[in-house]
């Protein structure tokens, strides 16, 4: 083996120098990378934080349904073939029991009534004559002046005359009733909700003329899931919200004994107070109050709702953000119940969580109360 030459020593020297330069470049690049990474670890946003707070909330069952008349009376005529000459009420009028609503032409009926009264008078006279004849015949029965057949004929005539008087009296009462029926009256106090009666019409018997809501009372017929029906009891309060934001306080009257096989919902009937805003046929939403319960809540601003799920942004002691999915419960005007997914003492971003993501660094702003402490 020949000894190394000068050229070989020169090559080795160049290789060592190149290796040292490469190592120096790598160290420089690593330092620059660390220098660039350092700013990302700095807090990017200052936030306020909040924690779960206990709150007493009412236990409720939500329901939807229609408002309807408590009882609706269809008012028609019991007499036919007469002309309507006067209609005294219109839709929206409040009426009292016995108040005249419409009047028919009663000329024909009054004439028939006069005839029936005359028939009664005639029958009474005939009965008086037959009664007197029968009494004389019975007095002469012991004398033998009249045969048994003649006496029986007088007594039969008396019975026939009494029966004819009864028929005449019945016909007279019928005509008097027909005369009364020429005036259509309200069967109860209430509110007129429909009118088909028109002056000049010749109507038939049982034809509808008006509709009346008894006492003006309305009710809310709410649909409740079958699984919730056993939680309801008559007398429980309910809050009904109408279109436009109007609210009414009602009370559950009764629960229907049957459940709709198509929807699996049952009807519950809620009495409503008298109101100028509620109308039969309106749709309404409402809640039944069952009691109260203790829950943990967060401000609405601390909860982000996306695709029907709730999310909060927890802040660690080092200021790092972790997005958590939480189970939501009942909502109030400014707070939301948190059922699961968050530790009771965890700090979460109070507002502005939509601008944060997992791993972000934030700086917690101390509140005035904390600064005072």
């Amino acid at each position: 083996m020949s000894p190394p030459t000068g050229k070989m020593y020169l090559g080795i020297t160049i290789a060592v120098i190149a290796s040292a330069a490469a190592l120096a470049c790598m160290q420089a690049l690593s330092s620059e990378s660390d220098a660039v990474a350092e700013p990302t670890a700095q807090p990017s946003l200052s936030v306020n934080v909040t924690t779960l707070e206990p709150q007493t909330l009412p236990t409720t069952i939500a329901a939807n349904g229609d408002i309807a008349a408590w009882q609706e009376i269809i008012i028609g005529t019991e007499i036919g073939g007469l002309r309507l000459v006067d209609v005294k009420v219109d839709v929206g009028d409040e009426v009292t029991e016995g108040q005249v609503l419409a009047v028919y032409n009663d000329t024909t009926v009054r004439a028939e009534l006069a005839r029936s009264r005359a028939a009664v008078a005639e029958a009474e006279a005939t009965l008086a004559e037959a009664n007197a004849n029968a009494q004389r015949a019975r007095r002469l029965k012991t004398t033998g002046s009249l045969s048994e057949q003649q006496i029986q004929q007088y007594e039969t005539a008396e019975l026939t005359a009494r029966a004819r008087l009864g028929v005449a009296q019945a016909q007279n009462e019928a005509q008097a009733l027909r005369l009364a029926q020429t005036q259509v009256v309200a069967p109860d106090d209430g509110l007129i909700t429909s009118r088909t009666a028109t002056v000049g019409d010749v109507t038939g018997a049982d034809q509808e003329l008006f509709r009346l809501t008894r006492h003006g009372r309305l009710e809310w017929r709410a649909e409740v899931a079958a699984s919730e029906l056993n939680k309801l009891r008559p007398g429980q309060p309910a809050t009904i919200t109408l279109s436009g934001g109007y609210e009414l306080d009602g009370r559950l009257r009764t629960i229907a004994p049957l459940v709709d096989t198509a929807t699996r919902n049952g009807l519950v009937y809620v009495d409503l107070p008298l109101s100028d805003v509620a109308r039969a046929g309106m749709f309404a939403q409402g809640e039944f109050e069952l009691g109260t319960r203790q829950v943990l809540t967060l401000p609405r601003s601390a909860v982000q709702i996306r695709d029907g799920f709730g999310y909060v942004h927890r802040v660690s002691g080092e200021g790092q953000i972790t997005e958590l999915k939480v189970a939501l419960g009942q909502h109030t005007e400014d707070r939301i119940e948190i059922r699961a997914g968050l530790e009771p003492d965890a700090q979460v971003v109070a507002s502005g969580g939509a601008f944060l993501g997992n791993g972000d660094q934030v700086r917690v702003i101390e509140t005035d109360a904390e600064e005072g402490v």
Side-chain angles (χ1 to χ4, degrees):
M1 180 174 173
S2 61
T5 63
K7 291 182 179 180
M8 294 179 63
Y9 281 116
L10 180 60
I12 293 171
T13 301
I14 292 172
V16 171
I17 293 173
S19 298
L23 180 61
C25 289
M26 292 177 62
Q27 290 176 345
L29 290 173
S30 177
S31 298
E32 290 178 1
S33 176
D34 291 342
V36 172
E38 274 186 355
T40 61
Q42 296 299 320
S44 60
L45 189 68
S46 297
V47 298
N48 290 315
V49 295
T50 186
T51 58
L52 290 169
E53 292 184 6
Q55 188 175 1
T56 301
L57 292 181
T59 302
T60 60
I61 294 177
N64 299 322
D66 297 325
I67 294 177
W70 166 59
Q71 288 184 6
E72 188 175 55
I73 302 175
I74 297 177
I75 303 174
T77 176
E78 299 178 76
I79 190 171
L82 298 180
R83 182 170 54 87
L84 200 58
V85 295
D86 192 11
V87 177
K88 297 181 176 295
V89 295
D90 205 346
V91 173
D93 291 347
E94 294 185 1
V95 298
T96 57
E97 182 178 357
Q99 180 177 336
V100 177
L101 308 181
V103 178
Y104 282 93
N105 185 355
D106 60 0
T107 304
T108 304
V109 180
R110 288 186 180 277
E112 293 175 351
L113 178 60
R115 182 191 303 174
S116 66
R117 287 174 176 170
V120 170
E122 181 181 0
E124 288 175 344
T126 302
L127 176 60
E129 180 182 3
N131 186 35
N133 292 337
Q135 287 181 356
R136 284 195 297 268
R138 281 190 287 271
R139 285 196 299 268
L140 295 174
K141 185 176 183 179
T142 56
T143 64
S145 301
L146 295 174
S147 64
E148 288 293 331
Q149 183 179 5
Q150 290 176 317
I151 295 173
Q152 187 175 4
Q153 287 176 347
Y154 284 121
E155 290 178 343
T156 302
E158 179 188 20
L159 294 175
T160 302
R162 182 172 286 109
R164 288 175 178 171
L165 175 60
V167 172
Q169 289 174 337
Q171 291 176 344
N172 183 67
E173 292 176 359
Q175 292 302 325
L177 180 60
R178 279 175 56 83
L179 180 62
Q181 289 172 347
T182 59
Q183 292 189 338
V184 181
V185 299
D188 202 349
D189 298 348
L191 181 71
I192 299 294
T193 57
S194 173
R195 189 205 76 178
T196 57
T198 304
V199 174
D201 281 351
V202 178
T203 62
D206 299 328
Q207 181 171 333
E208 178 181 326
L209 300 178
F210 306 95
R211 291 199 177 200
L212 174 74
T213 297
R214 290 191 65 190
H215 304 289
R217 284 179 55 183
L218 298 176
E219 64 184 10
W220 180 45
R221 298 176 183 176
E223 292 189 12
V224 177
S227 58
E228 304 283 358
L229 287 176
N230 61 339
K231 300 177 183 178
L232 299 176
R233 298 289 183 274
Q236 286 176 330
T239 301
I240 298 90
T241 304
L242 307 176
S243 58
Y246 298 101
E247 289 190 354
L248 296 176
D249 294 327
R251 191 161 297 276
L252 195 156
R253 186 178 76 252
T254 187
I255 302 172
L258 300 177
V259 172
D260 191 320
T261 56
T263 62
R264 303 302 177 187
N265 293 333
L267 277 180
V268 295
Y269 299 86
V270 178
D271 288 330
L272 298 179
L274 295 177
S275 168
D276 294 332
V277 296
R279 298 286 186 274
M282 294 178 65
F283 176 81
Q285 298 175 321
E287 292 181 341
F288 295 94
E289 299 177 11
L290 306 182
T292 59
R293 57 194 178 94
Q294 286 291 120
V295 299
L296 295 175
T297 65
L298 284 175
R300 280 181 173 268
S301 59
V303 181
Q304 307 298 316
I305 299 178
R306 301 193 301 269
D307 301 326
F309 298 100
Y311 297 89
V312 298
H313 294 83
R314 184 180 61 188
V315 183
S316 67
E318 294 75 26
Q320 189 174 32
I321 294 295
T322 302
E323 187 178 73
L324 299 177
K325 184 178 180 180
V326 294
L328 303 181
Q330 188 172 344
H331 294 215
T332 64
E333 291 184 0
D334 56 350
R335 303 189 70 82
I336 299 179
E337 176 190 357
I338 305 299
R339 291 183 174 178
L342 185 66
E343 300 86 353
D345 57 349
Q347 290 188 328
V348 298
V349 177
S351 61
F355 302 101
L356 299 173
N358 276 319
D360 287 349
Q361 288 292 131
V362 297
R363 181 172 63 87
V364 176
I365 300 176
E366 301 294 336
T367 62
D368 293 341
E370 290 172 345
E371 289 174 356
V373 176

